[in-house]
Amino acid sequence: MRNAIEVNGLVVSIDNSGCIGTKEHDIVHVPNEITAYFTARTAILEQLCAGAIPVQLLMANFSGDDVWTEYEQGFKKAFSEMGLEMPSLMGSSETNFQSLQSAVSLTMLGKKQFARNTNHCEFYVVGEPLVGNDVIENPHKIAQLDELYEGLVNGMIQAIWPTGSKGIGAEIIRFAGENFTAHVDLTSSAGPSCAVLVAVKKEHEEMFKTNMTAPVSKLVKAKE
């Protein structure tokens, strides 16, 4: 697992967004549905990384009760992309005080469905590192949730590993067990997991590259 933990047979993942939304003092101004979509997307990728599918959602909403439905719609969009019904959602909204900036946190509980096996696999980066407004302006550079999920379901992809604010390079050894390099920026923040590491069966490499919409970069073992 990357940033998920297992508790009593359930996989727990979490992601949050702050200063991103529709409030005047937000740093990135986007509809709340988009904020929620990327928050859910990241938590889902952590679940898939652990071989699990979410079964329950828990939201901590600090942006006001009036935006609950907007956040919920963003969560639904992420699950809809994978052809799944959104699990039950419960949680709490801060209603005693009005925040000056938007903030939301989403926790997911999941059940294991996949077994990770990277034997006889090649490693790739899908997508490019993006953060802030670059995420909104470059959707074609973002690893697509539905394509990754479909690859896991059909066995073409054997494992995935999201990347985040520390950059792709910080995650490679944790995922692949060795040091690799690639023709993509390995140090910049990948934001809401815009770039994802994947292990692909050797016999499926060409089909994998054809099926990915975002840019694909193969990992090459770094020289000693």
Side-chain angles (χ1 to χ4, degrees):
M1 297 186 190
R2 181 177 176 264
N3 287 336
I5 60 172
E6 188 169 350
V7 180
N8 294 330
L10 291 174
V11 173
V12 183
S13 66
I14 186 171
D15 192 59
N16 56 75
S17 295
C19 308
I20 303 172
T22 58
K23 290 182 179 289
E24 179 183 355
H25 296 287
D26 285 336
I27 296 174
V28 178
H29 289 91
V30 295
N32 291 313
E33 291 91 336
I34 292 179
T35 303
Y37 166 78
F38 280 103
T39 303
R41 180 182 181 280
T42 301
I44 289 171
L45 285 170
E46 295 288 2
Q47 289 281 330
L48 297 179
C49 175
I53 299 295
V55 295
Q56 177 68 54
L57 308 184
L58 304 167
M59 176 167 54
N61 167 27
F62 300 96
S63 301
D65 198 42
D66 56 327
V67 303
W68 178 282
T69 301
E70 296 172 21
Y71 282 148
E72 185 175 13
Q73 290 304 311
F75 301 155
K76 285 182 178 178
K77 179 182 177 183
F79 284 95
S80 178
E81 280 191 12
M82 299 189 296
L84 300 175
E85 291 288 331
M86 190 184 83
S88 174
L89 172 67
M90 63 177 297
S92 177
S93 298
E94 172 57 71
T95 56
N96 290 307
F97 304 98
Q98 289 293 319
S99 63
L100 297 179
Q101 293 173 301
S102 302
V104 62
S105 180
L106 181 64
T107 300
M108 292 185 179
L109 308 180
K111 292 184 178 179
K112 285 201 170 185
Q113 301 287 338
F114 309 102
R116 177 185 172 188
N117 181 4
T118 58
N119 294 331
H120 309 294
C121 285
E122 296 291 338
F123 300 105
Y124 286 83
V125 179
V126 180
E128 297 182 4
L130 301 168
V131 70
N133 287 312
D134 285 340
V135 176
I136 307 303
E137 296 169 1
N138 297 278
H140 60 288
K141 295 182 179 180
I142 299 173
Q144 298 300 300
L145 188 57
D146 58 334
E147 295 170 355
L148 296 172
Y149 177 66
E150 183 178 351
L152 285 168
V153 170
N154 64 29
M156 179 178 65
I157 295 175
Q158 291 294 296
I160 72 168
W161 192 273
T163 65
S165 60
K166 294 180 180 179
I168 299 167
E171 307 288 355
I172 288 176
I173 293 180
R174 294 178 66 194
F175 177 56
E178 298 180 72
N179 196 16
F180 287 79
T181 187
H183 295 295
V184 65
D185 187 341
L186 300 179
T187 59
S188 294
S189 171
S193 298
C194 293
V196 177
L197 295 166
V198 300
V200 181
K201 281 189 174 182
K202 292 182 178 180
E203 60 267 31
H204 294 324
E205 282 187 271
E206 292 307 314
M207 181 171 64
F208 160 76
K209 287 185 282 189
T210 300
N211 287 359
M212 295 296 111
T213 302
V216 171
S217 300
K218 190 170 185 176
L219 298 187
V220 180
K221 286 187 179 180
K223 294 181 180 180
E224 295 291 337

